[in-house]
Amino acid sequence: MTFDFEEELKKLPDKPGCYIMHDEKDAIIYIGKALSLRHRVRQYFQASHHEGIKKDRMVQQIARFEYIITDSELEALVLECNLIKEHRPKYNTMLTDDKTYPYIKVTLGEKFPRVLFSRQMKKDRSVYFGPYTSAGAVKDTIDLIHKLYQIRTCNRNLPRDIGKERACLNYHIHQCQAPCQGSVSEEEYRGQIDGALGFLNGRYQPVLEMLQTKMEAASQAMDFEKAIEYRDLLASVKQIAQRQKITHADGEDRDILALARDERDAVVQIFFVREGRMIGRDHFYLHIVNEDTIEQLLSSFIKQFYAGTPYIPRELMLQTDVEDREIIEQWLTNKKGQRVYLRVPKKGMKEKLVELAEKNARMVLEQDRERIKREEGRTIGAVKELADLIGLPRDQIHRLEAYDISNTNGFESVGSMVVYERGKPSRSDYRKFKLRTVTGPDDYASMREVLTRRFAHGLQEKQEREEKQLDQDYGSFTKFPDLILMDGGRGQVNIALQVLDELRIDIPVCGMVKDDNHRTRGLYYQNREVPIGRDSEAFRLITRIQDEAHRFAIEYHRSLRSKEQVHSVLDDITGIGPARRKALMRYFQSLEAIRQASVEELAAVDAMNEASAQSVYDFFHDQESHSG
């Protein structure tokens, strides 16, 4: 479907967030952040505006864009970092690792905890706040916490070292309670730490009011140095108080779900958090009736979505409780093989994340209703059409795999496997194969090798997973497709069915039948040809999959043929240069045929003469005599 840039630019909100640029193949080519999505994204499409040669080239390739709103520019920056790391877009300058951003660390694993500045977030018993963009503001805030709550700054091992050394200067200037001298009990000190944690968790209004009062009092007392100190601390606290909901220190995997609805439609927004980082999102359009409640809609969506998704996180965070929560938790736990929780956060950063998901769902519902319907038609709708065409249940097909073979006159044959899930490419699951057992341009034998290696490997990984009792996502080949698409008719389908039968695997196989102009005209399934309309979404999906499998195979083959990676044995023969090497490969089509040719047959090739023919013949036959 055509993306209406003028219409979509009008819908851009004047809010902070991240924008994501896609090319015509729906690949993400650029991710950026903005204080105002409306102003920043529009700039790319203004004729008078130039971003530099690289960005201008990128703009020419944009086929569509999407965006995620956040509550602050700081959150947009952290989300941008996470998304770039996950998708590695072509036109982004890759950001540095998270360790370049500062954190505030509270060492709760110690008897007398400290509040520290840290560049790394480790899985220990400490609590981390951040990341933040301003190291200066972090240091000022830590300094303020030390002053307000009299937290120790030394690295003494307490209580082991109590009384071994004198109290430091901080005790004498009333910025530390001297736990090193036993002057404060562990319980009293923990009370101070709880106050600091409350401040870092966002309960900073009392502190702001206190600093404001002290600044004004110092100013009225003509103590301007003190007033400036309070003013600077006040500014630092305001900056650090921008909460970071986009990254969480617990490192857990969770999905955050929120729903927005009106009288006719609803949108569910999912944020995907992996190892504590938000790495992406997706949204889904629901057709509803007026009687449906949010609780019923969320319950129905969870059951439908997680019945087909290959990965289930440890926790689903929801905006409201759902019907049959305990039964759904038990069902998800059984699918994952580990305990899964459905939770409704009531406070703190998790609640803010759910609110952010709901804001994005509401915006999608209000602004992108028609685009989402078209997108679902292109993807999920197309898969359902395909299922109807060949007579499979609509809810049975989620993962499609397609295969292709590429070679040049039988030289360096390669195979490709592309994967589509819910009608969209799953590029992390793509695989490529360098043929090992096939000589020459034999597509059937090549396809047999590729399919055998793919599914035999998958069976082996599944067996290892069961023996080692590993998680369900162990190994890259364990996820089998719901339907296999072959780039050909009866012959290719029969090869695939033979391989599956030998391995005792039951997966439907469908072939793409072409007309005399090499255009897909129908599908070959269960010994019959099924016609398919060229204007249907199913036809467009099949064409995209076919083109993608072909592109991926050619791209891999081209890399193998590059000058740096490919060295032909013919290059080692005296008198054989690039022209004669190409002529020989074009004529005989394989090294094995050249090896078996006589001198007279070699000399009959264009660009060859008797001397060069004899040189080739001697080269191969001398090698055979030496190897014997």
Side-chain angles (χ1 to χ4, degrees), residues 411-619:
F411 176 69
E412 289 286 12
S413 292
V414 300
S416 69
M417 174 185 109
V418 300
V419 179
Y420 275 61
E421 289 189 341
R422 302 176 67 83
K424 295 181 180 180
S426 179
R427 292 183 176 84
S428 62
D429 289 334
Y430 285 14
R431 294 295 179 267
K432 49 196 177 187
F433 304 83
K434 186 174 181 181
L435 276 295
R436 301 169 181 168
T437 64
V438 181
T439 302
D442 188 338
D443 282 356
Y444 285 169
S446 299
M447 189 60 73
R448 173 181 288 277
E449 179 186 330
V450 168
L451 292 171
T452 301
R453 285 168 57 186
R454 184 265 180 269
F455 288 104
H457 195 171
L459 290 173
Q460 181 183 349
E461 286 186 349
K462 285 188 174 186
Q463 184 178 354
E464 290 176 359
R465 183 195 70 202
E466 293 169 0
E467 290 174 354
K468 299 178 181 179
Q469 298 183 337
L470 297 172
D471 293 342
Q472 61 182 17
D473 59 345
Y474 167 74
S476 57
F477 283 117
T478 53
K479 291 186 286 186
F480 282 5
D482 303 308
L483 178 66
I484 297 173
L485 292 172
M486 304 301 297
D487 188 27
R490 182 194 301 267
Q492 292 275 20
V493 170
N494 287 339
I495 289 292
L497 290 172
Q498 289 171 19
V499 171
L500 294 173
D501 186 57
E502 290 167 5
L503 297 172
R504 298 183 180 180
I505 300 172
D506 183 20
I507 299 174
V509 181
C510 187
M512 296 177 275
V513 184
K514 300 179 181 63
D515 59 21
D516 295 337
N517 296 317
H518 205 68
R519 296 178 302 184
T520 299
R521 71 165 188 251
L523 301 172
Y524 183 79
Y525 182 67
Q526 292 186 339
N527 295 317
R528 65 187 180 92
E529 184 175 325
V530 181
I532 182 170
R534 292 186 177 276
D535 293 330
S536 67
E537 289 295 349
F539 178 82
R540 295 187 181 99
L541 173 63
I542 289 169
T543 301
R544 290 196 297 273
I545 294 174
Q546 200 172 27
D547 291 344
E548 184 71 349
H550 191 53
R551 177 201 66 79
F552 193 54
I554 288 176
E555 186 179 272
Y556 180 42
H557 185 256
R558 189 176 292 135
S559 72
L560 291 179
R561 287 190 287 114
S562 67
K563 186 175 181 180
E564 293 77 16
Q565 292 179 295
V566 177
H567 176 76
S568 172
V569 69
L570 299 177
D571 293 331
D572 296 331
I573 303 175
T574 304
I576 302 300
R580 284 176 174 163
R581 182 188 66 207
K582 290 178 183 177
L584 286 168
M585 289 301 300
R586 191 161 45 242
Y587 186 90
F588 290 101
Q589 298 195 356
S590 72
L591 286 174
E592 187 60 32
I594 297 172
R595 185 193 304 274
Q596 295 174 2
S598 65
V599 174
E600 291 74 21
E601 291 171 329
L602 292 167
V605 177
D606 289 343
M608 295 290 287
N609 55 34
E610 288 187 9
S612 59
Q614 188 66 50
S615 184
V616 172
Y617 183 88
D618 292 341
F619 177 86

Side-chain angles (χ1 to χ4, degrees), residues 60-296:
Q60 295 171 6
Q61 299 179 35
I62 298 174
R64 73 177 185 91
F65 60 79
E66 59 176 321
Y67 50 87
I68 304 174
I69 61 170
T70 60
D71 284 339
S72 71
E73 188 181 17
L74 193 57
E75 287 181 1
L77 181 145
V78 179
L79 176 57
E80 176 195 35
C81 180
N82 293 344
L83 293 176
I84 288 173
K85 284 184 179 181
E86 179 68 16
H87 300 287
R88 305 187 68 82
K90 178 180 179 181
Y91 287 99
N92 275 100
T93 300
M94 299 310 297
L95 298 184
T96 53
D97 195 77
D98 274 345
K99 66 184 180 184
T100 60
Y101 292 100
Y103 295 85
I104 296 175
K105 174 180 179 179
V106 184
T107 61
L108 292 183
E110 298 177 329
K111 293 287 186 181
F112 292 88
R114 294 169 292 161
V115 179
L116 306 174
F117 178 97
S118 177
R119 290 277 183 182
Q120 295 182 349
M121 187 170 66
K122 299 178 180 178
K123 290 185 177 180
D124 52 20
R125 289 188 292 169
S126 299
V127 172
Y128 292 84
F129 296 86
Y132 305 104
T133 55
S134 172
V138 170
K139 291 174 181 176
D140 284 347
T141 303
I142 292 173
D143 185 52
L144 173 64
I145 288 172
H146 288 151
K147 293 176 181 177
L148 289 174
Y149 301 102
Q150 298 185 12
I151 306 298
R152 72 185 182 103
T153 60
C154 64
N155 58 4
R156 297 176 187 179
N157 188 336
L158 302 180
R160 188 193 69 185
D161 294 340
I162 288 178
K164 289 186 177 180
E165 296 181 38
R166 290 183 300 174
C168 67
L169 179 62
N170 284 344
Y171 170 70
H172 298 289
I173 61 174
H174 308 293
Q175 290 189 14
C176 179
Q177 294 177 308
C180 61
Q181 303 301 309
S183 302
V184 59
S185 69
E186 186 178 334
E187 291 74 20
E188 290 175 311
Y189 188 86
R190 279 284 175 163
Q192 296 295 91
I193 288 292
D194 289 341
L197 289 172
F199 171 76
L200 290 170
N201 271 310
R203 294 190 293 274
Y204 46 81
Q205 192 59 38
V207 177
L208 288 172
E209 291 173 358
M210 178 268 292
L211 287 172
Q212 183 75 28
T213 301
K214 287 190 174 183
M215 180 182 71
E216 292 172 356
S219 179
Q220 291 175 0
M222 309 292 284
D223 189 352
F224 297 119
E225 288 188 6
K226 206 68 176 173
I228 290 172
E229 180 183 339
Y230 288 130
R231 182 201 65 188
D232 292 343
L233 286 173
L234 191 64
S236 295
V237 172
K238 287 179 179 178
Q239 185 174 10
I240 212 70
Q242 293 187 61
R243 294 206 191 168
Q244 291 307 295
K245 300 184 290 294
I246 304 303
T247 297
H248 202 273
D250 61 9
E252 283 284 357
D253 289 358
R254 57 172 57 93
D255 287 354
I256 296 143
L257 293 83
L259 180 144
R261 61 163 296 173
D262 56 20
E263 293 78 14
R264 297 172 300 163
D265 302 300
V267 168
V268 175
Q269 180 87 37
I270 305 181
F271 287 164
F272 302 108
V273 176
R274 299 296 178 260
E275 296 182 354
R277 293 188 301 117
M278 181 174 152
I279 63 169
R281 59 93 182 256
D282 208 344
H283 46 241
F284 300 89
Y285 207 85
L286 304 181
H287 301 286
I288 64 174
V289 294
N290 287 335
E291 292 77 18
D292 290 332
T293 65
I294 289 180
E295 293 82 357
Q296 292 170 329

Side-chain angles (χ1 to χ4, degrees), residues 255 306 309-314 316 331-332 335-336 340 472:
D255 287 354
Y306 291 100
T309 189
Y311 179 75
I312 298 171
R314 183 173 174 80
L316 306 186
W331 169 63
L332 292 173
K335 276 180 67 72
K336 182 176 178 63
V340 177
Q472 61 182 17

Side-chain angles (χ1 to χ4, degrees), residues 299-310:
S299 176
S300 176
F301 175 80
I302 290 169
K303 287 180 277 190
Q304 292 180 58
F305 180 76
Y306 291 100
T309 189

